[in-house]
Amino acid sequence: MLEIKCPYCGKRSQNEFSYGGDATIKRPKLGEEISTEDWDNFVYYRDNPRGKHSELWHHVSGCRQWFKVSRDTATHEIFDTCKMNEDFNV
Amino acid sequence: MQKYSVFSLVKNAFTNHENWEVAWKDPEPKKEYDVIIVGGGGHGLATAYYLAKEHGITNVAILEKGWIGGGNVGRNTTILRSNYMFDSNAHFYEFGMKLWETLSQELNYNVMYSPRGIINLAHSDAQMNAYARRGNSMRLNGIDAILLGRDDLKKMIPFADFSETCRFPIHGGLMQPRGGTARHDAVAWGYARQADSMGVDIIQNCEVTGFDVNNGKIEGVQTSRGNIKTKKVGLCVAGSTTLLADMLNMRLPIEAHVLQACVSEPVKPLLHNVVTFGAGHFYCSQSDKGEMVMGGDLDGYNSYAQRGNMPMIQHVLTGGLAVFPNFSRLKMLRTWGGIMDMSMDGSPIIDKTHIEGVYLNCGWCYGGFKATPSSGFVFAHTIAQDQVHELNSDFNLERFHTGKIIDEKGVGPKPWIG
């Protein structure tokens, strides 16, 4: 069982959360010229490291906020969590 | 190579089975090979076998970081099927089913192919309609499919919850009678033994640490046991594909996720088919030893750990008890996990790459075991002929740019959503 620290509610069990994937992908900006390759990369291509991974989680059975988690994909150690508009400290 | 038969069994019984030949050798890596296959799992071993058998290419090495058959080919739930709706999948997996039917004879190794039938349960009228449509698509592609009603199923799985008041009543199901199971380890060992006998070097405890690429062409691989020259490299490393692709500066539409399975204590014969619960994440078959072999869905977050977490086991078994309440008294024997190379449309990638001489076989999601023979067959063709086989022409990398994706499950590029 993962223990995830929601930046709003504190430490809670994994059961309260759902996963949102790679936190580093950015939607291409609206109103600008966008190449099809940029769209493809946004839709289909992700970071998939063995080790430190920035990812999104949703406190779906709690405060319902989305936030960022820095977690090791091999050991599941959670290094840090932060709000969507913040950066990790670790 | 020593042929396995009842006569060789009797003959060796006289010498207390101490004189059997080794099934495959343990060679030192040579300086150079025509083809190097990275990954000694089912797909890698099958690829090497078909390279030797179908294309006469025998100067081949399989490089395996651990031991052969220690990854997903030894961790799956052994299910074989071709019950797909889309043509690309249906043709590819049905070709595989035909190979499964004669594989024990072809390899002179009993892979224990058991066509016990796979039943997908339906729990609503809408689901019955969807299964009727899928069954019709299968039959149009020459695949066996039978639509079962509630009364048919009462005879086949009488111990399932057929009460009228349960949350997900059983309306019927779709069955592929030729679907079933096979002994997963035997598949790896059978391919290994035959490949070895034709001259393939199976090199275990040999980790690939880098690639020598010059002017867009592969020239060799660096390993923990020295550098090896080659003109062609095939990658068959399932969940570790991204780690090798990173060494080649390739970005792939793949995420690594852990999928768990578990077995109960062995009990007397009860469940004669493979059954999937249609309203949740659960499927089950009974092994020849009597254990209930059960699986469900991904843990749901990126993972390279070959072990899982309890919440998903609990979730899967909760679904299992909804359909088979009598399983509540079974004791759990083992749980384990394997790393899935989840592609962004749920279908595999078997293709050439932007580097000349580097070939890619990945993206198997949860379905790699049943594809072992067909994947090996078409990947060997792709490597030997330097062009894709008709059967894997749709499983290309380009589809994530052209939009011609094969999204059988229809969930979009979010592999963790089951």
Side-chain angles (χ1 to χ4, degrees):
Chain A
M1 181 80 77
L2 299 178
E3 194 180 47
I4 301 169
K5 188 183 166 197
C6 169
Y8 302 91
C9 312
K11 279 189 176 176
R12 299 294 170 91
S13 105
Q14 173 193 340
N15 288 337
E16 294 186 14
F17 299 88
S18 71
Y19 184 65
D22 185 358
T24 63
I25 42 174
K26 286 203 166 60
R27 188 187 167 91
K29 279 203 174 115
L30 284 175
E32 284 181 18
E33 192 65 31
I34 301 156
S35 70
T36 44
E37 199 178 343
D38 286 344
W39 270 119
D40 298 340
N41 287 340
F42 165 65
V43 176
Y44 293 119
Y45 288 78
R46 317 283 158 75
D47 278 351
N48 186 27
R50 186 180 196 279
K52 201 179 260 192
H53 184 234
S54 299
E55 57 200 22
L56 301 176
W57 285 79
H58 185 199
H59 197 180
V60 67
S61 304
C63 63
R64 300 192 64 80
Q65 294 288 334
W66 284 91
F67 59 97
K68 293 195 285 190
V69 174
S70 174
R71 183 181 61 91
D72 192 306
T73 58
T75 64
H76 299 327
E77 180 184 356
I78 293 173
F79 304 108
D80 197 10
T81 62
C82 66
K83 295 177 183 173
M84 290 297 281
N85 59 353
E86 294 174 348
D87 290 320
F88 298 119
N89 289 317
V90 185
Chain B
M1 186 188 62
Q2 195 173 24
K3 190 169 160 40
Y4 291 162
S5 69
V6 66
F7 303 108
S8 65
L9 190 65
V10 171
K11 190 180 143 208
N12 279 280
F14 287 114
T15 52
N16 289 323
H17 297 291
E18 285 169 359
N19 296 324
W20 287 102
E21 281 178 18
V22 292
W24 55 86
K25 297 177 283 294
D26 184 22
E28 283 297 313
K30 291 193 272 188
K31 292 263 181 293
E32 185 166 0
Y33 289 95
D34 292 341
V35 179
I36 286 177
I37 304 294
V38 185
H43 290 223
L45 294 161
T47 303
Y49 168 76
Y50 291 112
L51 273 173
K53 180 171 171 274
E54 300 291 330
H55 306 279
I57 301 173
T58 56
N59 186 22
V60 176
I62 296 170
L63 307 183
E64 166 56 48
K65 180 182 174 186
W67 63 94
I68 60 165
N72 292 345
V73 74
R75 293 165 187 265
N76 58 77
T77 47
T78 79
I79 292 163
L80 318 175
R81 58 187 176 88
S82 58
N83 53 359
Y84 284 86
M85 193 167 82
F86 289 175
D87 287 350
S88 321
N89 283 329
H91 295 163
F92 176 78
Y93 289 107
E94 179 58 16
F95 176 77
M97 283 305 292
K98 295 202 170 87
L99 292 178
W100 279 111
E101 284 166 353
T102 55
L103 197 62
S104 292
Q105 288 75 21
E106 179 170 347
L107 297 180
N108 180 227
Y109 205 105
N110 187 2
V111 301
M112 297 168 71
Y113 167 55
S114 164
R116 61 184 66 182
I118 176 162
I119 300 169
N120 302 122
L121 297 178
H123 306 271
S124 66
D125 288 335
Q127 208 168 9
M128 282 301 282
N129 289 342
Y131 280 163
R133 182 180 176 219
R134 171 137 68 109
N136 283 330
S137 301
M138 287 164 62
R139 290 171 78 132
L140 286 169
N141 275 321
I143 302 168
D144 56 325
I146 300 173
L147 201 61
L148 299 170
R150 185 175 159 89
D151 290 334
D152 301 319
L153 285 163
K154 272 184 183 168
K155 292 181 198 126
M156 300 168 81
I157 44 169
F159 50 90
D161 188 349
F162 282 100
S163 61
E164 304 277 345
T165 52
C166 66
R167 174 67 181 83
F168 298 108
I170 295 170
H171 281 230
L174 180 67
M175 178 174 187
Q176 184 186 12
R178 281 157 63 243
T181 60
R183 171 86 201 282
H184 52 354
D185 298 320
V187 176
W189 298 335
Y191 274 121
R193 176 168 163 269
Q194 287 291 348
D196 174 90
S197 79
M198 289 188 282
V200 172
D201 279 359
I202 298 171
I203 301 161
Q204 305 180 74
N205 299 310
C206 181
E207 182 180 358
V208 170
T209 53
F211 294 91
D212 296 323
V213 178
N214 204 352
N215 287 329
K217 266 188 187 171
I218 189 83
E219 294 187 341
V221 297
Q222 301 150 17
T223 79
S224 55
R225 293 174 68 174
N227 294 352
I228 308 173
K229 284 187 186 165
T230 187
K231 290 185 192 67
K232 292 183 175 183
V233 172
L235 306 181
C236 292
V237 294
S240 302
T241 303
T242 304
L243 306 178
L244 290 185
D246 284 348
M247 297 178 196
L248 291 160
N249 294 320
M250 275 167 64
R251 196 166 156 90
L252 295 174
I254 281 182
E255 277 182 14
H257 283 261
V258 62
L259 179 67
Q260 297 191 76
C262 55
V263 294
S264 73
E265 60 183 335
V267 291
K268 287 188 176 177
L270 173 73
L271 180 60
H272 309 300
N273 316 93
V274 182
V275 175
T276 73
F277 181 38
H281 301 133
F282 174 79
Y283 63 88
C284 184
S285 66
Q286 190 170 18
S287 75
D288 292 335
K289 287 185 282 185
E291 303 150 337
M292 294 296 171
V293 184
M294 300 173 279
D297 209 0
L298 303 174
D299 271 27
Y301 44 85
N302 290 39
S303 175
Y304 280 91
Q306 285 175 308
R307 63 185 186 285
N309 207 337
M310 284 319 283
M312 185 46 74
I313 288 282
Q314 188 174 27
H315 173 76
V316 166
L317 296 179
T318 304
L321 294 185
V323 62
F324 296 139
N326 56 344
F327 281 18
S328 67
R329 295 169 70 184
L330 288 174
K331 289 183 184 125
M332 188 69 78
L333 197 63
R334 290 192 303 281
T335 74
W336 65 93
I339 305 306
M340 308 295 112
D341 36 340
M342 301 301 296
S343 69
M344 290 300 142
D345 63 354
S347 296
I349 297 160
I350 315 173
D351 203 0
K352 297 161 70 170
T353 65
H354 70 284
I355 300 167
E356 196 180 327
V358 175
Y359 304 87
L360 195 60
N361 179 334
C362 64
W364 289 100
C365 303
Y366 344 77
F369 175 67
K370 64 179 175 290
T372 306
S374 42
S375 157
F377 192 94
V378 301
F379 196 42
H381 180 281
T382 305
I383 294 172
Q385 311 291 333
D386 194 36
Q387 60 180 20
V388 295
H389 189 276
E390 186 189 351
L391 286 168
N392 64 320
S393 57
D394 286 348
F395 297 140
N396 54 42
L397 258 177
E398 197 50 33
R399 69 181 188 267
F400 298 99
H401 297 295
T402 61
K404 201 183 170 193
I405 56 167
I406 311 163
D407 193 357
E408 184 95 26
K409 213 170 172 183
V411 294
K414 305 241 182 289
W416 60 87
I417 298 175

